[in-house]
Amino acid sequence: MLKEPDTPGAPIASWLIDLPIKDKQGIDFIQLQIDQFAGQKGQEEDEIWNVQLRLDTQNLGPLQATVTMHADDVKIVLRAERPESAALLEAHIAWLHEALSKLGITVSHVSCSCGEVAKPTLAEQYLAETTNLVDVSV
């Protein structure tokens, strides 16, 4: 859990998770960040949750998904660096919206755009220091 500064608008809780993914080419990371924000009324049901997922796959390139949940409302924003990946995601947005609706999730916004995706910062630093995920030395 990350400690955020006590400033207005800052999350009241934040978690950052780096998950290693190994393929034939090497090791990549999926970075998941979960932020909890206090609502305007200060009540638990008024909280806002923000989940951000960053990954870089060989087929699709760098991708970022942001899911924001407030009460029963969900907003999803997808971003891909490669135009062909953004077009592929855009082509399947209706399927995503329909699948979430079948689960009883109210989705007020779903969009996809092409643009720069920030790289997971902690993963780059870790990979520069070591090539092992688990230290097996004695």
Side-chain angles (χ1 to χ4, degrees):
M1 187 166 159
L2 303 173
K3 175 67 175 142
E4 294 291 329
D6 294 328
T7 58
I12 57 175
S14 186
W15 295 267
L16 182 63
I17 303 162
D18 282 331
L19 301 171
I21 303 295
K22 184 176 183 331
D23 64 9
K24 294 177 185 177
Q25 306 294 321
I27 298 172
D28 290 316
F29 281 85
I30 294 177
Q31 188 173 75
L32 179 68
Q33 183 168 346
I34 304 170
D35 295 312
Q36 178 187 16
F37 296 89
Q40 293 180 352
K41 299 173 187 168
Q43 298 175 359
E44 190 173 309
E45 61 271 1
D46 198 39
E47 291 176 342
I48 299 169
W49 289 85
N50 191 61
V51 178
Q52 191 170 85
L53 175 74
R54 287 187 211 107
L55 65 141
D56 187 350
T57 66
Q58 186 177 0
N59 292 339
L60 295 174
L63 301 172
Q64 178 177 328
T66 303
V67 179
T68 304
M69 183 174 170
H70 179 246
D72 293 332
D73 181 51
V74 174
K75 295 180 174 103
I76 302 169
V77 177
L78 305 171
R79 181 179 300 149
E81 274 192 14
R82 296 180 186 167
E84 61 274 12
S85 298
L88 182 63
L89 290 170
E90 183 74 37
H92 290 86
I93 279 184
W95 176 85
L96 174 63
H97 195 280
E98 183 181 319
L100 291 172
S101 294
K102 284 181 182 177
L103 293 172
I105 298 171
T106 303
V107 181
S108 66
H109 176 85
V110 180
S111 66
C112 180
S113 64
C114 184
E116 187 175 342
V117 174
K119 298 212 182 283
T121 54
L122 295 178
E124 286 181 354
Q125 177 184 352
Y126 182 78
L127 286 177
E129 295 173 4
T130 183
T131 57
N132 300 318
L133 294 178
V134 177
D135 186 358
V136 293
S137 62
V138 178

